[in-house]
mmCIF file of all heavy atoms in Angstrom:
data_model
loop_
_atom_site.group_PDB
_atom_site.id
_atom_site.type_symbol
_atom_site.label_atom_id
_atom_site.label_comp_id
_atom_site.label_asym_id
_atom_site.label_seq_id
_atom_site.Cartn_x
_atom_site.Cartn_y
_atom_site.Cartn_z
ATOM 1 N N GLU I 1 0.835 -1.212 0.000
ATOM 2 C CA GLU I 1 0.000 0.000 0.000
ATOM 3 C C GLU I 1 0.861 1.249 0.000
ATOM 4 O O GLU I 1 0.576 2.223 -0.714
ATOM 5 C CB GLU I 1 -0.922 -0.003 1.226
ATOM 6 C CG GLU I 1 -2.079 -0.988 1.144
ATOM 7 C CD GLU I 1 -2.839 -1.088 2.456
ATOM 8 O OE1 GLU I 1 -2.323 -0.607 3.492
ATOM 9 O OE2 GLU I 1 -3.946 -1.655 2.441
ATOM 10 N N TYR I 2 1.923 1.226 0.786
ATOM 11 C CA TYR I 2 2.814 2.383 0.862
ATOM 12 C C TYR I 2 3.484 2.645 -0.487
ATOM 13 O O TYR I 2 3.550 3.800 -0.949
ATOM 14 C CB TYR I 2 3.867 2.157 1.947
ATOM 15 C CG TYR I 2 4.951 3.205 1.957
ATOM 16 C CD1 TYR I 2 4.706 4.480 2.457
ATOM 17 C CD2 TYR I 2 6.216 2.920 1.454
ATOM 18 C CE1 TYR I 2 5.700 5.452 2.465
ATOM 19 C CE2 TYR I 2 7.215 3.883 1.456
ATOM 20 C CZ TYR I 2 6.955 5.143 1.952
ATOM 21 O OH TYR I 2 7.934 6.097 1.944
ATOM 22 N N LEU I 3 3.953 1.599 -1.138
ATOM 23 C CA LEU I 3 4.632 1.771 -2.421
ATOM 24 C C LEU I 3 3.658 2.231 -3.505
ATOM 25 O O LEU I 3 4.021 3.035 -4.378
ATOM 26 C CB LEU I 3 5.332 0.474 -2.824
ATOM 27 C CG LEU I 3 6.487 0.051 -1.896
ATOM 28 C CD1 LEU I 3 7.087 -1.271 -2.359
ATOM 29 C CD2 LEU I 3 7.566 1.125 -1.827
ATOM 30 N N TYR I 4 2.419 1.751 -3.452
ATOM 31 C CA TYR I 4 1.400 2.252 -4.380
ATOM 32 C C TYR I 4 1.131 3.737 -4.121
ATOM 33 O O TYR I 4 0.932 4.524 -5.070
ATOM 34 C CB TYR I 4 0.099 1.457 -4.210
ATOM 35 C CG TYR I 4 0.068 0.132 -4.946
ATOM 36 C CD1 TYR I 4 -1.000 -0.754 -4.767
ATOM 37 C CD2 TYR I 4 1.095 -0.240 -5.809
ATOM 38 C CE1 TYR I 4 -1.042 -1.975 -5.443
ATOM 39 C CE2 TYR I 4 1.069 -1.453 -6.485
ATOM 40 C CZ TYR I 4 -0.001 -2.321 -6.292
ATOM 41 O OH TYR I 4 -0.036 -3.523 -6.958
ATOM 42 N N PHE I 5 1.107 4.117 -2.849
ATOM 43 C CA PHE I 5 0.902 5.526 -2.484
ATOM 44 C C PHE I 5 2.022 6.396 -3.055
ATOM 45 O O PHE I 5 1.766 7.461 -3.639
ATOM 46 C CB PHE I 5 0.840 5.646 -0.958
ATOM 47 C CG PHE I 5 0.834 7.060 -0.463
ATOM 48 C CD1 PHE I 5 -0.301 7.851 -0.582
ATOM 49 C CD2 PHE I 5 1.971 7.615 0.127
ATOM 50 C CE1 PHE I 5 -0.306 9.168 -0.122
ATOM 51 C CE2 PHE I 5 1.971 8.916 0.585
ATOM 52 C CZ PHE I 5 0.835 9.697 0.454
ATOM 53 N N ILE I 6 3.264 5.951 -2.906
ATOM 54 C CA ILE I 6 4.405 6.702 -3.443
ATOM 55 C C ILE I 6 4.337 6.759 -4.966
ATOM 56 O O ILE I 6 4.621 7.795 -5.581
ATOM 57 C CB ILE I 6 5.743 6.054 -2.995
ATOM 58 C CG1 ILE I 6 5.875 6.123 -1.468
ATOM 59 C CG2 ILE I 6 6.930 6.742 -3.657
ATOM 60 C CD1 ILE I 6 5.916 7.527 -0.905
ATOM 61 N N TYR I 7 3.917 5.658 -5.578
ATOM 62 C CA TYR I 7 3.765 5.601 -7.034
ATOM 63 C C TYR I 7 2.787 6.696 -7.508
ATOM 64 O O TYR I 7 3.064 7.439 -8.457
ATOM 65 C CB TYR I 7 3.260 4.207 -7.430
ATOM 66 C CG TYR I 7 2.925 4.033 -8.889
ATOM 67 C CD1 TYR I 7 3.837 3.460 -9.765
ATOM 68 C CD2 TYR I 7 1.673 4.423 -9.380
ATOM 69 C CE1 TYR I 7 3.522 3.288 -11.112
ATOM 70 C CE2 TYR I 7 1.355 4.257 -10.722
ATOM 71 C CZ TYR I 7 2.284 3.691 -11.580
ATOM 72 O OH TYR I 7 1.962 3.534 -12.904
ATOM 73 N N ASN I 8 1.656 6.792 -6.835
ATOM 74 C CA ASN I 8 0.656 7.794 -7.216
ATOM 75 C C ASN I 8 1.159 9.203 -6.929
ATOM 76 O O ASN I 8 0.913 10.133 -7.709
ATOM 77 C CB ASN I 8 -0.660 7.538 -6.473
ATOM 78 C CG ASN I 8 -1.314 6.234 -6.897
ATOM 79 O OD1 ASN I 8 -1.164 5.792 -8.027
ATOM 80 N ND2 ASN I 8 -2.029 5.594 -5.974
ATOM 81 N N LEU I 9 1.861 9.365 -5.808
ATOM 82 C CA LEU I 9 2.374 10.676 -5.427
ATOM 83 C C LEU I 9 3.377 11.193 -6.461
ATOM 84 O O LEU I 9 3.395 12.384 -6.799
ATOM 85 C CB LEU I 9 3.048 10.571 -4.051
ATOM 86 C CG LEU I 9 3.266 11.861 -3.264
ATOM 87 C CD1 LEU I 9 1.934 12.512 -2.918
ATOM 88 C CD2 LEU I 9 4.058 11.549 -1.995
ATOM 89 N N LYS I 10 4.204 10.302 -6.964
ATOM 90 C CA LYS I 10 5.224 10.687 -7.951
ATOM 91 C C LYS I 10 4.676 10.750 -9.380
ATOM 92 O O LYS I 10 5.402 11.142 -10.298
ATOM 93 C CB LYS I 10 6.389 9.691 -7.904
ATOM 94 C CG LYS I 10 7.241 9.778 -6.646
ATOM 95 C CD LYS I 10 8.444 8.837 -6.746
ATOM 96 C CE LYS I 10 9.370 8.972 -5.563
ATOM 97 N NZ LYS I 10 10.577 8.097 -5.684
ATOM 98 N N LYS I 11 3.433 10.327 -9.566
ATOM 99 C CA LYS I 11 2.793 10.334 -10.894
ATOM 100 C C LYS I 11 3.617 9.525 -11.904
ATOM 101 O O LYS I 11 3.919 9.973 -13.011
ATOM 102 C CB LYS I 11 2.601 11.764 -11.391
ATOM 103 C CG LYS I 11 1.723 12.614 -10.490
ATOM 104 C CD LYS I 11 1.606 14.026 -10.994
ATOM 105 C CE LYS I 11 0.748 14.871 -10.054
ATOM 106 N NZ LYS I 11 0.644 16.280 -10.524
ATOM 107 N N VAL I 12 3.995 8.331 -11.488
ATOM 108 C CA VAL I 12 4.821 7.458 -12.316
ATOM 109 C C VAL I 12 3.996 6.924 -13.485
ATOM 110 O O VAL I 12 2.796 6.639 -13.345
ATOM 111 C CB VAL I 12 5.383 6.294 -11.463
ATOM 112 C CG1 VAL I 12 6.217 5.356 -12.327
ATOM 113 C CG2 VAL I 12 6.206 6.838 -10.313
ATOM 114 N N LYS I 13 4.637 6.775 -14.638
ATOM 115 C CA LYS I 13 3.937 6.334 -15.852
ATOM 116 C C LYS I 13 4.102 4.840 -16.141
ATOM 117 O O LYS I 13 3.420 4.298 -16.999
ATOM 118 C CB LYS I 13 4.452 7.128 -17.056
ATOM 119 C CG LYS I 13 4.292 8.638 -16.918
ATOM 120 C CD LYS I 13 2.838 9.037 -16.743
ATOM 121 C CE LYS I 13 2.683 10.557 -16.661
ATOM 122 N NZ LYS I 13 1.285 10.970 -16.414
ATOM 123 N N PHE I 14 5.029 4.167 -15.418
ATOM 124 C CA PHE I 14 5.216 2.739 -15.653
ATOM 125 C C PHE I 14 3.966 1.965 -15.212
ATOM 126 O O PHE I 14 3.217 2.427 -14.338
ATOM 127 C CB PHE I 14 6.420 2.209 -14.868
ATOM 128 C CG PHE I 14 7.718 2.880 -15.205
ATOM 129 C CD1 PHE I 14 8.491 3.481 -14.217
ATOM 130 C CD2 PHE I 14 8.185 2.923 -16.508
ATOM 131 C CE1 PHE I 14 9.683 4.100 -14.513
ATOM 132 C CE2 PHE I 14 9.386 3.540 -16.820
ATOM 133 C CZ PHE I 14 10.136 4.136 -15.830
ATOM 134 N N PRO I 15 3.726 0.774 -15.782
ATOM 135 C CA PRO I 15 2.616 -0.076 -15.290
ATOM 136 C C PRO I 15 2.770 -0.325 -13.793
ATOM 137 O O PRO I 15 3.812 -0.815 -13.343
ATOM 138 C CB PRO I 15 2.789 -1.368 -16.104
ATOM 139 C CG PRO I 15 3.486 -0.948 -17.353
ATOM 140 C CD PRO I 15 4.416 0.160 -16.936
ATOM 141 N N LYS I 16 1.756 0.040 -13.030
ATOM 142 C CA LYS I 16 1.887 0.075 -11.573
ATOM 143 C C LYS I 16 2.302 -1.262 -10.964
ATOM 144 O O LYS I 16 3.329 -1.347 -10.285
ATOM 145 C CB LYS I 16 0.580 0.545 -10.936
ATOM 146 C CG LYS I 16 0.646 0.619 -9.408
ATOM 147 C CD LYS I 16 -0.705 0.935 -8.772
ATOM 148 C CE LYS I 16 -1.068 2.376 -8.972
ATOM 149 N NZ LYS I 16 -2.280 2.741 -8.166
ATOM 150 N N LYS I 17 1.538 -2.292 -11.169
ATOM 151 C CA LYS I 17 1.801 -3.563 -10.489
ATOM 152 C C LYS I 17 3.156 -4.146 -10.891
ATOM 153 O O LYS I 17 3.933 -4.579 -10.036
ATOM 154 C CB LYS I 17 0.697 -4.580 -10.772
ATOM 155 C CG LYS I 17 0.855 -5.877 -9.973
ATOM 156 C CD LYS I 17 -0.308 -6.823 -10.215
ATOM 157 C CE LYS I 17 -0.200 -8.054 -9.308
ATOM 158 N NZ LYS I 17 1.081 -8.765 -9.437
ATOM 159 N N ALA I 18 3.435 -4.142 -12.174
ATOM 160 C CA ALA I 18 4.701 -4.707 -12.649
ATOM 161 C C ALA I 18 5.888 -3.925 -12.083
ATOM 162 O O ALA I 18 6.904 -4.518 -11.677
ATOM 163 C CB ALA I 18 4.734 -4.705 -14.171
ATOM 164 N N HIS I 19 5.765 -2.604 -12.038
ATOM 165 C CA HIS I 19 6.855 -1.757 -11.538
ATOM 166 C C HIS I 19 7.093 -1.998 -10.048
ATOM 167 O O HIS I 19 8.232 -2.189 -9.614
ATOM 168 C CB HIS I 19 6.507 -0.290 -11.797
ATOM 169 C CG HIS I 19 7.563 0.678 -11.349
ATOM 170 N ND1 HIS I 19 8.885 0.580 -11.732
ATOM 171 C CD2 HIS I 19 7.483 1.769 -10.528
ATOM 172 C CE1 HIS I 19 9.582 1.569 -11.187
ATOM 173 N NE2 HIS I 19 8.756 2.300 -10.443
ATOM 174 N N ILE I 20 6.019 -2.021 -9.263
ATOM 175 C CA ILE I 20 6.156 -2.240 -7.818
ATOM 176 C C ILE I 20 6.629 -3.665 -7.534
ATOM 177 O O ILE I 20 7.451 -3.890 -6.638
ATOM 178 C CB ILE I 20 4.822 -1.946 -7.092
ATOM 179 C CG1 ILE I 20 4.418 -0.484 -7.282
ATOM 180 C CG2 ILE I 20 4.946 -2.280 -5.603
ATOM 181 C CD1 ILE I 20 5.446 0.534 -6.818
ATOM 182 N N ASP I 21 6.148 -4.630 -8.300
ATOM 183 C CA ASP I 21 6.606 -6.016 -8.138
ATOM 184 C C ASP I 21 8.120 -6.113 -8.327
ATOM 185 O O ASP I 21 8.809 -6.811 -7.577
ATOM 186 C CB ASP I 21 5.908 -6.939 -9.141
ATOM 187 C CG ASP I 21 4.468 -7.248 -8.755
ATOM 188 O OD1 ASP I 21 4.083 -6.948 -7.611
ATOM 189 O OD2 ASP I 21 3.734 -7.789 -9.607
ATOM 190 N N GLU I 22 8.632 -5.428 -9.329
ATOM 191 C CA GLU I 22 10.069 -5.467 -9.618
ATOM 192 C C GLU I 22 10.875 -4.842 -8.484
ATOM 193 O O GLU I 22 11.919 -5.368 -8.079
ATOM 194 C CB GLU I 22 10.345 -4.729 -10.930
ATOM 195 C CG GLU I 22 11.817 -4.573 -11.285
ATOM 196 C CD GLU I 22 12.527 -5.894 -11.496
ATOM 197 O OE1 GLU I 22 11.840 -6.927 -11.698
ATOM 198 O OE2 GLU I 22 13.774 -5.913 -11.441
ATOM 199 N N ILE I 23 10.385 -3.742 -7.934
ATOM 200 C CA ILE I 23 11.088 -3.082 -6.823
ATOM 201 C C ILE I 23 11.075 -3.973 -5.584
ATOM 202 O O ILE I 23 12.094 -4.124 -4.900
ATOM 203 C CB ILE I 23 10.443 -1.713 -6.518
ATOM 204 C CG1 ILE I 23 10.712 -0.739 -7.671
ATOM 205 C CG2 ILE I 23 10.981 -1.145 -5.205
ATOM 206 C CD1 ILE I 23 9.983 0.576 -7.538
ATOM 207 N N ILE I 24 9.937 -4.557 -5.283
ATOM 208 C CA ILE I 24 9.823 -5.450 -4.125
ATOM 209 C C ILE I 24 10.791 -6.618 -4.252
ATOM 210 O O ILE I 24 11.440 -7.018 -3.282
ATOM 211 C CB ILE I 24 8.365 -5.945 -3.981
ATOM 212 C CG1 ILE I 24 7.474 -4.806 -3.465
ATOM 213 C CG2 ILE I 24 8.278 -7.151 -3.045
ATOM 214 C CD1 ILE I 24 5.993 -5.148 -3.427
ATOM 215 N N ARG I 25 10.886 -7.162 -5.451
ATOM 216 C CA ARG I 25 11.830 -8.263 -5.684
ATOM 217 C C ARG I 25 13.283 -7.791 -5.543
ATOM 218 O O ARG I 25 14.110 -8.464 -4.920
ATOM 219 C CB ARG I 25 11.613 -8.833 -7.088
ATOM 220 C CG ARG I 25 12.496 -10.040 -7.408
ATOM 221 C CD ARG I 25 12.555 -10.294 -8.890
ATOM 222 N NE ARG I 25 13.142 -9.175 -9.604
ATOM 223 C CZ ARG I 25 14.456 -8.934 -9.634
ATOM 224 N NH1 ARG I 25 15.301 -9.721 -8.983
ATOM 225 N NH2 ARG I 25 14.928 -7.901 -10.304
ATOM 226 N N LEU I 26 13.565 -6.610 -6.077
ATOM 227 C CA LEU I 26 14.935 -6.093 -6.070
ATOM 228 C C LEU I 26 15.452 -5.860 -4.657
ATOM 229 O O LEU I 26 16.596 -6.209 -4.336
ATOM 230 C CB LEU I 26 14.998 -4.786 -6.868
ATOM 231 C CG LEU I 26 16.367 -4.103 -6.969
ATOM 232 C CD1 LEU I 26 17.354 -4.989 -7.704
ATOM 233 C CD2 LEU I 26 16.224 -2.750 -7.664
ATOM 234 N N VAL I 27 14.627 -5.265 -3.779
ATOM 235 C CA VAL I 27 15.082 -4.963 -2.426
ATOM 236 C C VAL I 27 14.777 -6.093 -1.437
ATOM 237 O O VAL I 27 15.012 -5.959 -0.241
ATOM 238 C CB VAL I 27 14.494 -3.630 -1.911
ATOM 239 C CG1 VAL I 27 14.884 -2.483 -2.809
ATOM 240 C CG2 VAL I 27 12.985 -3.699 -1.788
ATOM 241 N N ARG I 28 14.243 -7.189 -1.957
ATOM 242 C CA ARG I 28 14.029 -8.412 -1.176
ATOM 243 C C ARG I 28 13.109 -8.196 0.024
ATOM 244 O O ARG I 28 13.462 -8.460 1.166
ATOM 245 C CB ARG I 28 15.370 -8.986 -0.734
ATOM 246 C CG ARG I 28 16.230 -9.443 -1.904
ATOM 247 C CD ARG I 28 17.636 -9.768 -1.486
ATOM 248 N NE ARG I 28 17.652 -10.834 -0.485
ATOM 249 C CZ ARG I 28 18.760 -11.225 0.144
ATOM 250 N NH1 ARG I 28 19.909 -10.642 -0.108
ATOM 251 N NH2 ARG I 28 18.700 -12.200 1.025
#
């Protein structure tokens, strides 16, 4: 939820779920 909130706050254009999934995987 927090990462989705930051995504919306930054007005990111990448596909939301795929982008957040990749970050979650990257930082373990």
Side-chain angles (χ1 to χ4, degrees):
E1 286 172 346
Y2 171 75
L3 295 178
Y4 278 173
F5 172 74
I6 297 298
Y7 174 98
N8 294 330
L9 199 63
K10 290 185 176 182
K11 300 178 181 179
V12 179
K13 302 300 182 183
F14 301 124
K16 181 186 286 189
K17 186 176 185 305
H19 181 53
I20 298 303
D21 284 348
E22 174 62 18
I23 291 173
I24 287 174
R25 183 197 62 77
L26 180 63
V27 301
R28 295 169 60 186

